[in-house]
């Protein structure tokens, strides 16, 4: 008989890993724990989602009425037992599966039509984001949401899909005005993108599934922000105050320049691509490893190896998303599907493992319907996509 | 225990269903959001809250409420959440989840005292004395803002500024330790 060793992880390790801060040893433990049971991976994914998107609790009156209704049903059915939460979840999952099977068996004739309809429901991303204040207040931002407010000498304005921080003219750090040290978070969900201007005039384009943390006003000798996901920066020049972007284990230091950073938690690399100016890429855990990038250069930080390397690239490929295009050059299908899944907010399953390594080249419109994009990829190779709701199976 | 609380708890243990239902409706979402900060899945969080209420309603005769209904409910939801984590082989040794949920929640009255890890305590100890005092009252003991301001003879505005500065300092102290918590 084989005795199974149980691995216990601390929530600290989970947070660190989501932030890209976990050490090699911690990742090793985490991987063992993740492999132990599917419920562990589910918890991890929920933690990740919660970190990116916050609460998904809908606190409407209707939901409360339903909750009370459910309470009365449970009461009639008998006493509550510990662990019932999981049983309920399991039976829910079974019900969904059963419903899915019913659909599957009842509808083979109409299949083509059904698939078409389902694809029609998958739309390209739009301008949307959630702004979160330190005190817990939060605001859903979009093209239509107008917002103007005054917070200790800074005007925060959202209009026509653009968020702006405008310092009050003449507001200084001394005198009776207390410096505003508040930190805000802007979260862009999957299927979204957003544009914002920080209080120093730096412009930031955020891609789908990204998060940026920044102070309302920049005090002190540095301008420090945090990023997770992908963003293009046009940093306002201020030679006295360097601009620092922390993302996972990497820190990018700049004075004034434009560049793109791709640092999704689930990606194995952090990619920094310089368009103009000059940046210094460093590592939090290794102050000695500093790499200077010149225009048309790209640094790649491998999270597994802990190594930083650079190469010459055409930056246009890496900032195409900002111009509303997807440009892929000899890119693997796996990476392409990851990019598409963020923008169209879909899940991808590879039934054919080998297909992950197929390579494609193409220039596609980000505003195109998803169906069109799939057809273009299907045409070029022996790949078939099966669409089920928001899940795409690659065959 | 306050007199209103006593009446409330008494009514429920006498099976006053109207009073119970209004308590359910008042606390359901607060508790579900609290639980979500531990389990991250809103469905699981809601199930935990449902079971807490069900257990409470079916055992009112056996349950002794010492402080307030709200603090009893928070405590039971928290215990159920920690059991759920235990089954998943997840630990919260430094009480991060509890502390985090607390820092994000304005209404901390009725909450349980936070057990601080040594690291967190050392960071709090290094704050200037007044900030340390105010921060501890608010986030460790869960005293209401108005009450803290009254005791310390300061305005609410000053209190909020001091708390914000304290958080900012802690964020610096604990930088790289757990960025989610304070950044």
């Amino acid at each position: 008989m084989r005795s199974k060793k149980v691995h216990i992880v601390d929530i600290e390790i989970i947070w660190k890993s989501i932030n890209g801060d976990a050490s090699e040893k911690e990742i090793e433990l985490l991987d063992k724990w993740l492999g132990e049971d599917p419920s562990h991976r589910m918890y991890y994914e929920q933690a990740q989602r919660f970190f990116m998107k916050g609460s998904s609790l809908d606190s409407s009156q209707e939901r409360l009425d339903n909750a009370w209704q459910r309470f009365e049903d449970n009461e009639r059915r008998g006493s509550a037992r510990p662990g019932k939460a999981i049983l309920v979840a399991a039976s829910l999952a079974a019900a969904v599966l059963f419903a899915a099977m019913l659909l599957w068996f009842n509808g083979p004739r109409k299949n083509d039509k059904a698939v078409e309809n389902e694809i029609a429901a998958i739309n390209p991303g739009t301008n949307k984001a959630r702004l979160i204040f330190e005190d817990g207040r939060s605001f859903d931002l979009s093209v239509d949401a107008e917002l103007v407010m005054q917070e200790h000498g800074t005007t925060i304005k959202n209009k026509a899909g653009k968020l702006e921080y405008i310092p009050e003219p003449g507001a200084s750090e001394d005198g009776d005005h207390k410096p505003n040290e508040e930190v805000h978070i802007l979260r862009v969900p999957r299927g979204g993108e957003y544009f914002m201007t920080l209080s120093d005039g730096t412009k930031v384009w955020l891609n789908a599934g990204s998060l940026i943390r920044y102070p309302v006003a920049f005090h002190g000798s540095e301008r420090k922000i945090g990023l997770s996901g992908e963003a293009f920066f046009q940093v306002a020049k201020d030679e006295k105050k360097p601009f620092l972007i922390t993302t996972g284990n990497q820190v990018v230091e700049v004075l004034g320049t434009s560049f793109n950073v791709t640092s999704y938690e689930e990606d194995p690399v952090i990619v920094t691509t310089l368009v103009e100016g000059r940046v210094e890429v460093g590592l939090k855990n290794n102050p000695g490893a500093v790499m200077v990038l010149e225009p048309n250069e790209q640094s790649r930080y491998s999270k597994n190896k802990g190594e930083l390397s650079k190469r010459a690239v055409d930056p246009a490929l890496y900032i195409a998303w900002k111009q509303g295009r997807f440009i892929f050059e000899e890119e693997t299908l796996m990476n392409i599907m990851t990019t598409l899944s963020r923008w169209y907010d879909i899940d991808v399953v590879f039934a054919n493992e080998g297909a992950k390594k197929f390579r494609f080249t193409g220039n596609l419109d980000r505003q195109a319907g998803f169906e069109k994009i799939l057809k273009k990829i299907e045409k070029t190779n022996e790949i078939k996509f099966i669409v089920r709701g928001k899940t795409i199976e690659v065959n | 225990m306050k007199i209103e609380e006593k009446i409330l708890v008494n009514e429920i243990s006498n099976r006053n269903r109207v009073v119970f239902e209004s308590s359910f409706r008042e606390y359901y979402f607060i508790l579900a959001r609290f639980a979500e900060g531990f389990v991250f899945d809103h469905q699981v969080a809601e199930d935990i809250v449902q079971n807490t209420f069900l257990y409470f309603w079916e055992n009112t005769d056996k349950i002794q409420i010492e402080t307030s209904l709200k603090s009893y409910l928070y405590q039971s939801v928290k215990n159920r959440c920690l059991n759920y984590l235990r089954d998943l082989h997840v630990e919260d040794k430094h009480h991060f989840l509890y502390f985090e949920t607390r820092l994000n929640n304005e209404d901390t009255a009725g909450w349980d005292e936070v057990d601080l890890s040594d690291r967190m305590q050392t960071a709090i100890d290094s704050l200037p004395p007044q900030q340390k005092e105010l921060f501890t009252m608010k986030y460790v003991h869960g005293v209401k803002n108005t009450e803290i301001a009254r005791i310390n003879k300061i305005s609410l505005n000053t209190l909020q500024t001091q708390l914000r500065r304290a958080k900012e300092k802690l964020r610096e102290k604990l930088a790289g330790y757990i960025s989610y918590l304070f950044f």
Side-chain angles (χ1 to χ4, degrees):
Chain A
M1 220 167 69
R2 208 158 55 101
S3 73
K4 248 197 185 162
K5 195 171 178 272
V6 170
H7 299 94
I8 295 172
V9 297
D10 197 278
I11 191 72
E12 185 186 355
I13 296 180
I14 295 181
W15 281 136
K16 275 186 174 173
S17 141
I18 291 174
N19 270 313
D21 285 340
S23 70
E24 240 168 76
K25 241 185 145 168
E26 287 168 335
I27 289 171
E28 205 179 294
L29 172 65
L30 189 70
D31 281 343
K32 280 185 185 144
W33 173 76
L34 282 170
E36 223 166 59
D37 194 280
S39 66
H40 295 180
R41 182 160 290 279
M42 253 162 76
Y43 181 73
Y44 184 81
E45 279 166 10
Q46 290 285 6
Q48 212 164 9
R49 190 203 47 75
F50 188 79
F51 176 75
M52 294 302 292
K53 300 190 184 172
S55 172
S56 53
L57 204 64
D58 154 28
S59 50
S60 62
Q61 184 57 42
E62 197 192 340
R63 186 117 187 133
L64 186 55
D65 291 338
N66 284 340
W68 176 250
Q69 187 61 53
R70 235 180 92 205
F71 176 84
E72 292 195 311
D73 292 346
N74 284 341
E75 193 189 4
R76 237 169 281 133
R77 214 172 295 142
S79 68
R81 274 168 292 120
K84 199 172 174 186
I86 300 155
L87 286 180
V88 170
S91 65
L92 255 176
V96 169
L97 189 69
F98 184 63
M101 279 164 71
L102 275 181
L103 272 176
W104 181 243
F105 287 122
N106 287 337
R109 295 290 117 77
K110 293 182 203 148
N111 219 3
D112 287 349
K113 190 89 190 149
V115 166
E116 240 169 62
N117 287 342
E118 278 175 310
I119 292 179
I122 298 175
N123 296 314
T126 55
N127 286 314
K128 61 184 168 200
R130 171 165 271 222
L131 173 63
I132 302 152
F133 286 11
E134 218 168 304
D135 59 16
R137 277 180 292 162
S138 69
F139 307 88
D140 282 322
L141 306 182
S142 69
V143 177
D144 306 319
E146 274 203 32
L147 178 84
V148 180
M149 62 179 106
Q150 202 81 39
E151 294 273 319
H152 319 292
T154 304
T155 304
I156 303 168
K157 200 170 102 183
N158 184 66
K159 209 180 166 183
K162 177 185 171 189
L163 175 67
E164 246 184 309
Y165 284 71
I166 310 155
E168 200 176 273
S172 65
E173 288 183 30
D174 47 34
D176 279 342
H177 261 290
K178 42 186 188 263
N180 188 356
E181 293 166 343
E182 188 133 345
V183 173
H184 287 181
I185 292 180
L186 189 68
R187 276 186 180 137
V188 180
R190 283 157 65 99
E193 64 180 344
Y194 223 77
F195 171 67
M196 75 172 299
T197 310
L198 297 169
S199 66
D200 66 336
T202 292
K203 294 176 174 148
V204 188
W205 286 259
L206 281 150
N207 205 347
S210 304
L211 174 152
I212 178 174
R213 296 174 277 204
Y214 52 91
V216 172
F218 292 102
H219 298 288
S221 56
E222 290 171 334
R223 295 174 282 169
K224 269 173 147 170
I225 66 145
L227 169 78
S228 148
E230 179 165 39
F232 181 79
F233 293 91
Q234 226 164 56
V235 176
K237 259 212 170 80
D238 184 349
E239 269 155 35
K240 284 183 218 106
K241 268 191 181 188
F243 194 91
L244 286 136
I245 301 166
T246 306
T247 180
N249 187 33
Q250 179 182 289
V251 182
V252 182
E253 182 174 338
V254 304
L255 295 171
T257 178
S258 39
F259 58 101
N260 193 72
V261 179
T262 313
S263 174
Y264 286 100
E265 272 110 29
E266 62 273 26
D267 287 355
V269 284
I270 300 178
V271 181
T272 310
T273 313
L274 185 62
V275 179
E276 58 173 54
R278 187 170 176 273
V279 302
E280 278 181 16
V281 181
L283 301 178
K284 262 200 272 185
N285 65 354
N286 183 1
V290 174
M291 187 167 273
V292 177
L293 295 186
E294 304 286 345
N296 303 336
E297 281 188 339
Q298 177 181 77
S299 71
R300 298 175 79 85
Y301 169 67
S302 155
K303 293 182 193 169
N304 289 336
K305 291 187 204 143
E307 277 169 18
L308 202 53
S309 60
K310 75 173 175 181
R311 60 178 192 171
V313 294
D314 175 6
L317 294 180
Y318 297 89
I319 61 165
W321 66 270
K322 190 184 141 259
Q323 266 88 22
R325 312 289 307 176
F326 290 115
I327 304 183
F328 300 117
E329 219 175 67
E330 284 290 300
E331 191 57 80
T332 60
L333 186 60
M334 188 168 107
N335 288 343
I336 291 174
M337 293 315 285
T338 304
T339 303
L340 295 180
S341 69
R342 287 174 188 140
W343 182 239
Y344 290 95
D345 192 10
I346 46 156
D347 295 314
V348 178
V349 179
F350 278 87
N352 172 3
E353 274 291 312
K356 283 184 178 173
K357 294 203 181 97
F358 291 168
R359 285 177 188 274
F360 294 89
T361 296
N363 184 334
L364 307 165
D365 182 1
R366 249 159 88 93
Q367 289 307 323
F370 187 58
E371 190 189 4
K372 219 170 165 181
I373 300 228
L374 286 191
K375 284 215 169 113
K376 278 202 169 156
I377 299 175
E378 272 181 333
K379 239 187 242 170
T380 55
N381 216 310
E382 285 161 16
I383 282 175
K384 270 242 99 43
F385 292 108
I386 297 174
V387 182
R388 292 197 186 99
K390 288 211 146 195
T391 303
I392 316 299
E393 198 180 291
V394 186
N395 283 287
Chain B
M1 204 183 347
K2 278 202 193 138
I3 188 80
E4 300 90 351
E5 273 294 327
K6 243 183 201 150
I7 296 170
L8 181 74
V9 171
N10 249 328
E11 281 306 307
I12 294 177
S13 42
N14 288 330
R15 317 272 323 144
N16 183 333
R17 201 174 171 85
V18 177
V19 171
F20 175 72
E21 183 182 340
S22 65
S23 304
F24 180 97
R25 288 175 178 273
E26 186 172 348
Y27 297 132
Y28 184 80
F29 283 128
I30 308 176
L31 294 168
R33 195 154 295 121
F34 174 70
E36 198 190 12
F38 289 84
V39 301
F40 306 127
D41 181 325
H42 76 93
Q43 228 151 32
V44 174
E46 287 186 73
D47 285 340
I48 286 175
V49 174
Q50 284 279 356
N51 284 330
T52 305
F53 274 112
L54 197 53
Y55 179 82
F56 172 55
W57 183 237
E58 289 181 345
N59 296 283
T60 44
D61 48 334
K62 292 175 217 129
I63 295 165
Q64 282 285 330
I65 291 181
E66 307 284 341
T67 48
S68 70
L69 174 62
K70 193 172 167 188
S71 98
Y72 161 79
L73 290 170
Y74 266 125
Q75 187 61 48
S76 341
V77 168
K78 184 184 152 201
N79 288 343
R80 282 169 190 267
C81 288
L82 293 177
N83 287 344
Y84 178 81
L85 294 191
R86 193 198 53 211
D87 292 344
L88 283 171
H89 299 162
V90 174
E91 268 183 335
D92 184 15
K93 238 184 274 163
H94 306 293
H95 310 282
F96 280 141
L97 291 176
Y98 190 46
F99 204 58
E100 172 65 27
T101 322
R102 187 149 184 157
L103 283 178
N104 286 328
N105 211 312
E106 259 311 292
D107 177 19
T108 50
W111 286 47
D112 207 29
E113 291 244 334
V114 177
D115 258 332
L116 293 173
S117 66
D118 290 349
R119 221 134 142 211
M120 206 92 88
Q121 189 61 59
T122 314
I124 294 173
D125 284 344
S126 69
L127 291 172
Q130 200 202 8
Q131 279 179 22
K132 179 188 161 186
E133 163 95 17
L134 300 176
F135 184 91
T136 309
M137 282 178 97
K138 166 87 180 169
Y139 293 111
V140 183
H141 304 304
V143 183
K144 274 191 187 147
N145 277 3
T146 46
E147 194 66 2
I148 303 176
R150 195 183 57 77
I151 294 167
N152 290 278
K153 301 190 180 66
I154 53 171
S155 73
L156 273 175
N157 228 334
T158 309
L159 171 64
Q160 269 150 9
T161 309
Q162 290 296 329
L163 286 176
R164 192 168 50 233
R165 292 210 177 128
K167 274 204 218 173
E168 185 71 32
K169 286 216 177 76
L170 285 177
R171 198 177 280 136
E172 272 168 32
K173 291 259 182 311
L174 296 166
Y177 176 32
I178 178 153
S179 36
Y180 176 68
L181 194 58
F182 286 115
F183 191 89

